[in-house]
Amino acid sequence: MFCHLRKRLCFFGYKLCKCELEKLFIKHQLTASLTTLRMVHQETVMNVFDRRSKLLQKTRASNLEEVELYDYLKDEVGYRLTDRIFDIKRTFNKVVDLGCGRGNASKNVFADCVENLIMCDMSETMLNKAVLPEESVKVSKVVVDEEELPFEEDSVDMVMSNLSLHWVNNLPGTFSQVLKCLKNDGVFLGSVFGGDTLFELRASLQLAETERTGGISPHISPFTDVRDVGGLLNQAGFTMLTIDCDEVVVKYPSVFELMWDLKGMAENNCTWVRSHHLRKEVMIAASAIYKELYGTDEFVPATFQILYFVAWKPDPSQPKPAKRGSATHSLDSLGNIIKWKRKSTLMKLEFN
């Protein structure tokens, strides 16, 4: 390698000693390594979703005449998400609702917990029609893309997001931006669809399309897993993570009502590789398969797996785990301690 580099330099009229040549070679290797790292970092940002199509879908859904009829799922999940705010015994001065939609979570916020609320969504039309919380909460609305947050560093006390982040391409980047805008000991609350969401519809469409066309197309968007969410939050720098899983099963007359409601929720597919047309015979076959495998004569169920998470920005005041080896009791003696406490309780009752 040195000889090859020396020949190239001599060709251009440069004469260097071996020491200078080694320094130049090392500098060349470092530059090449940094370039490779930048390329690897850029390649890890996956571009799965067409964000422009999702914006159009949300705008169209918000313009429906009876749009509130499709809010039942997000209203329920938003209520369960905001209920976790009351478990935190503090009042938050500045709170951001990222991807607020029609205010499915924000409308459950009270002035006892939140003083100033910033409602954000990528669709201005949907943001204008969002339901507001009680009057004592100061509310402002801002059009924000979840992948590019405009908030200043260390300026927000809490960020919450209700069923919106599953459409983000660069989810690690969004988590890092949320961490950056949070104050120390700030909290990040969120809910996303889990990997088992709409597994009945996914399987029925795949079987029907395989039978009718001899192949399959991605009609259901990919969702995150519990381990993926926890790993990404840890990687971003959050601490004291709490992640739990819940399932909401909704009953529909048939698969056609399910697909119609998904469109009304603005939850229709927006992946780049999606099929823009679904043949009539495939839909009829999928409906029959869905009913045969999962449904009854009266309804077909649709499962929505919801992942809730609570993450905190690190702060010296937060509790820390005890040092290794500082335990005073062994887990092996836990059974004996429980038996001893039961005996002492029984003796007290007999004495009384």
Side-chain angles (χ1 to χ4, degrees):
M1 185 69 182
F2 282 127
C3 295
H4 179 67
L5 187 59
R6 188 190 294 272
K7 289 179 181 179
R8 292 186 62 186
L9 290 171
C10 290
F11 176 78
F12 289 102
Y14 294 100
K15 292 183 179 181
L16 299 174
C17 64
K18 187 177 180 180
C19 181
E20 292 175 337
L21 192 61
E22 287 179 354
K23 291 181 180 179
L24 183 62
F25 177 74
I26 293 172
K27 184 178 180 180
H28 172 74
Q29 289 291 92
L30 288 173
T31 305
S33 300
L34 289 173
T35 305
T36 304
L37 286 173
R38 291 192 191 101
M39 291 175 63
V40 170
H41 176 70
Q42 290 174 359
E43 290 174 357
T44 55
V45 179
M46 301 181 64
N47 189 13
V48 180
F49 304 111
D50 183 357
R51 298 283 295 172
R52 182 176 177 275
S53 294
K54 178 51 58 181
L55 174 60
L56 293 174
Q57 291 170 2
K58 297 186 77 169
T59 303
R60 290 167 184 163
S62 62
N63 288 326
L64 295 175
E65 292 183 0
E66 298 179 336
V67 64
E68 64 277 359
L69 296 178
Y70 307 102
D71 288 340
Y72 54 89
L73 178 63
K74 293 186 177 183
D75 280 348
E76 177 63 26
V77 177
Y79 175 78
R80 298 183 185 185
L81 178 66
T82 51
D83 185 58
R84 287 161 167 77
I85 300 178
F86 298 102
D87 297 331
I88 306 172
K89 305 302 180 183
R90 70 169 68 170
T91 301
F92 298 96
N93 178 32
K94 186 176 181 181
V95 176
V96 172
D97 187 359
L98 191 60
C100 66
R102 285 188 16 87
N104 308 98
S106 297
K107 63 183 179 182
N108 301 310
V109 169
F110 296 101
D112 296 339
C113 302
V114 177
E115 296 178 356
N116 299 280
L117 177 64
I118 303 176
M119 301 176 67
C120 307
D121 199 271
M122 64 185 300
S123 173
E124 185 177 2
T125 308
M126 183 165 287
L127 188 63
N128 293 333
K129 296 185 178 181
V131 182
L132 302 179
E134 61 181 15
E135 295 182 358
S136 52
V137 179
K138 298 178 182 178
V139 179
S140 58
K141 296 181 178 181
V142 183
V143 178
V144 173
D145 187 346
E146 293 92 339
E147 295 184 349
E148 298 178 4
L149 304 187
F151 307 107
E152 297 180 358
E153 188 174 352
D154 300 328
S155 62
V156 181
D157 296 289
M158 181 176 70
V159 176
M160 64 178 183
S161 179
N162 180 46
L163 297 181
S164 174
L165 296 178
H166 56 281
W167 294 118
V168 173
N169 283 310
N170 187 12
L171 194 57
T174 298
F175 284 169
S176 299
Q177 292 181 65
V178 171
L179 182 74
K180 186 177 181 180
C181 72
L182 280 173
K183 297 179 181 178
N184 287 347
D185 201 31
V187 62
F188 182 26
L189 275 75
S191 62
V192 293
F193 285 118
D196 290 338
T197 297
L198 297 176
F199 72 90
E200 305 98 337
L201 181 60
R202 188 193 304 270
S204 300
L205 285 172
Q206 289 177 350
L207 290 172
E209 203 163 24
T210 302
E211 178 192 2
R212 297 295 175 176
T213 64
I216 59 175
S217 300
H219 296 288
I220 308 296
S221 300
F223 299 109
T224 55
D225 191 63
V226 178
R227 291 170 294 182
D228 297 332
V229 173
L232 291 175
L233 288 170
N234 268 321
Q235 182 181 353
F238 287 98
T239 185
M240 296 194 301
L241 306 182
T242 303
I243 303 175
D244 58 291
C245 180
D246 195 6
E247 284 190 355
V248 178
V249 180
V250 184
K251 299 176 181 179
Y252 295 91
S254 70
V255 69
F256 302 108
E257 284 79 7
L258 167 59
M259 297 172 72
W260 183 262
D261 280 14
L262 289 175
K263 185 177 180 181
M265 299 176 195
E267 293 297 332
N268 32 346
N269 193 4
C270 72
T271 56
W272 287 104
V273 295
R274 68 189 182 278
S275 176
H276 293 276
H277 301 284
L278 188 60
R279 295 165 59 176
K280 181 179 179 181
E281 58 180 1
V282 174
M283 294 182 65
I284 295 174
S287 177
I289 293 172
Y290 200 123
K291 188 173 183 179
E292 181 66 25
L293 293 179
Y294 308 104
T296 64
D297 294 335
E298 299 177 354
F299 63 87
V300 293
T303 302
F304 297 90
Q305 185 185 44
I306 314 297
L307 306 180
Y308 301 94
F309 61 85
V310 181
W312 296 80
K313 185 172 181 177
D315 186 73
S317 64
Q318 294 173 349
K320 295 177 177 58
K323 294 182 179 180
R324 187 178 181 87
S326 61
T328 57
H329 297 281
S330 173
L331 290 176
D332 295 335
S333 61
L334 185 60
N336 296 328
I337 295 173
I338 294 174
K339 290 180 181 179
W340 178 79
K341 286 191 174 183
R342 285 178 179 175
K343 287 182 180 179
S344 60
T345 304
L346 289 173
M347 292 176 62
K348 287 181 180 179
L349 291 174
E350 290 176 356
F351 179 77
N352 294 333

